mmCIF file with all atom_site columns, all heavy atoms in Angstrom:
data_model
loop_
_atom_site.group_PDB
_atom_site.id
_atom_site.type_symbol
_atom_site.label_atom_id
_atom_site.label_alt_id
_atom_site.label_comp_id
_atom_site.label_asym_id
_atom_site.label_entity_id
_atom_site.label_seq_id
_atom_site.pdbx_PDB_ins_code
_atom_site.Cartn_x
_atom_site.Cartn_y
_atom_site.Cartn_z
_atom_site.occupancy
_atom_site.B_iso_or_equiv
_atom_site.pdbx_formal_charge
_atom_site.auth_seq_id
_atom_site.auth_comp_id
_atom_site.auth_asym_id
_atom_site.auth_atom_id
_atom_site.pdbx_PDB_model_num
ATOM 1  N N   . THR A 1 2   ? -5.133  -107.964 14.721 1.00 51.00 ? 2   THR A N   1
ATOM 2  C CA  . THR A 1 2   ? -5.157  -107.459 13.336 1.00 51.00 ? 2   THR A CA  1
ATOM 3  C C   . THR A 1 2   ? -3.935  -106.619 13.073 1.00 51.00 ? 2   THR A C   1
ATOM 4  O O   . THR A 1 2   ? -3.575  -105.767 13.873 1.00 51.00 ? 2   THR A O   1
ATOM 5  C CB  . THR A 1 2   ? -6.411  -106.615 13.094 1.00 51.00 ? 2   THR A CB  1
ATOM 6  O OG1 . THR A 1 2   ? -7.552  -107.393 13.443 1.00 51.00 ? 2   THR A OG1 1
ATOM 7  C CG2 . THR A 1 2   ? -6.503  -106.177 11.648 1.00 51.00 ? 2   THR A CG2 1
ATOM 8  N N   . SER A 1 34  ? -1.201  -66.563  2.645  1.00 55.00 ? 34  SER A N   1
ATOM 9  C CA  . SER A 1 34  ? -2.027  -65.347  2.575  1.00 55.00 ? 34  SER A CA  1
ATOM 10 C C   . SER A 1 34  ? -1.532  -64.234  3.481  1.00 55.00 ? 34  SER A C   1
ATOM 11 O O   . SER A 1 34  ? -2.036  -63.128  3.424  1.00 55.00 ? 34  SER A O   1
ATOM 12 C CB  . SER A 1 34  ? -3.479  -65.689  2.945  1.00 55.00 ? 34  SER A CB  1
ATOM 13 O OG  . SER A 1 34  ? -3.518  -66.223  4.252  1.00 55.00 ? 34  SER A OG  1
ATOM 14 N N   . ARG A 1 48  ? 9.113   -36.148  12.618 1.00 64.00 ? 48  ARG A N   1
ATOM 15 C CA  . ARG A 1 48  ? 8.653   -34.984  13.373 1.00 64.00 ? 48  ARG A CA  1
ATOM 16 C C   . ARG A 1 48  ? 9.817   -34.101  13.795 1.00 64.00 ? 48  ARG A C   1
ATOM 17 O O   . ARG A 1 48  ? 9.745   -32.872  13.746 1.00 64.00 ? 48  ARG A O   1
ATOM 18 C CB  . ARG A 1 48  ? 7.874   -35.442  14.603 1.00 64.00 ? 48  ARG A CB  1
ATOM 19 C CG  . ARG A 1 48  ? 6.508   -36.051  14.271 1.00 64.00 ? 48  ARG A CG  1
ATOM 20 C CD  . ARG A 1 48  ? 5.806   -36.488  15.536 1.00 64.00 ? 48  ARG A CD  1
ATOM 21 N NE  . ARG A 1 48  ? 4.518   -37.094  15.234 1.00 64.00 ? 48  ARG A NE  1
ATOM 22 C CZ  . ARG A 1 48  ? 3.711   -37.630  16.154 1.00 64.00 ? 48  ARG A CZ  1
ATOM 23 N NH1 . ARG A 1 48  ? 4.092   -37.646  17.437 1.00 64.00 ? 48  ARG A NH1 1
ATOM 24 N NH2 . ARG A 1 48  ? 2.553   -38.164  15.793 1.00 64.00 ? 48  ARG A NH2 1
ATOM 25 N N   . HIS A 1 152 ? 12.059  19.054   -7.297 1.00 95.00 ? 152 HIS A N   1
ATOM 26 C CA  . HIS A 1 152 ? 12.180  19.866   -6.087 1.00 95.00 ? 152 HIS A CA  1
ATOM 27 C C   . HIS A 1 152 ? 13.512  19.537   -5.422 1.00 95.00 ? 152 HIS A C   1
ATOM 28 O O   . HIS A 1 152 ? 13.663  18.504   -4.777 1.00 95.00 ? 152 HIS A O   1
ATOM 29 C CB  . HIS A 1 152 ? 11.014  19.556   -5.145 1.00 95.00 ? 152 HIS A CB  1
ATOM 30 C CG  . HIS A 1 152 ? 10.645  20.702   -4.270 1.00 95.00 ? 152 HIS A CG  1
ATOM 31 N ND1 . HIS A 1 152 ? 9.640   20.626   -3.344 1.00 95.00 ? 152 HIS A ND1 1
ATOM 32 C CD2 . HIS A 1 152 ? 11.133  21.965   -4.177 1.00 95.00 ? 152 HIS A CD2 1
ATOM 33 C CE1 . HIS A 1 152 ? 9.523   21.787   -2.726 1.00 95.00 ? 152 HIS A CE1 1
ATOM 34 N NE2 . HIS A 1 152 ? 10.425  22.609   -3.222 1.00 95.00 ? 152 HIS A NE2 1
ATOM 35 N N   . SER A 1 175 ? -27.286 21.549   -5.686 1.00 89.00 ? 175 SER A N   1
ATOM 36 C CA  . SER A 1 175 ? -25.956 22.165   -5.583 1.00 89.00 ? 175 SER A CA  1
ATOM 37 C C   . SER A 1 175 ? -26.008 23.644   -5.928 1.00 89.00 ? 175 SER A C   1
ATOM 38 O O   . SER A 1 175 ? -25.342 24.471   -5.280 1.00 89.00 ? 175 SER A O   1
ATOM 39 C CB  . SER A 1 175 ? -24.978 21.448   -6.518 1.00 89.00 ? 175 SER A CB  1
ATOM 40 O OG  . SER A 1 175 ? -24.826 20.095   -6.151 1.00 89.00 ? 175 SER A OG  1
ATOM 41 N N   . GLY A 1 205 ? 22.269  7.711    -4.266 1.00 79.00 ? 205 GLY A N   1
ATOM 42 C CA  . GLY A 1 205 ? 22.087  6.808    -5.392 1.00 79.00 ? 205 GLY A CA  1
ATOM 43 C C   . GLY A 1 205 ? 20.832  5.965    -5.302 1.00 79.00 ? 205 GLY A C   1
ATOM 44 O O   . GLY A 1 205 ? 20.564  5.148    -6.182 1.00 79.00 ? 205 GLY A O   1
#
Side-chain angles (χ1 to χ4, degrees):
T2 305
S34 59
R48 289 180 181 177
H152 208 181
S175 298

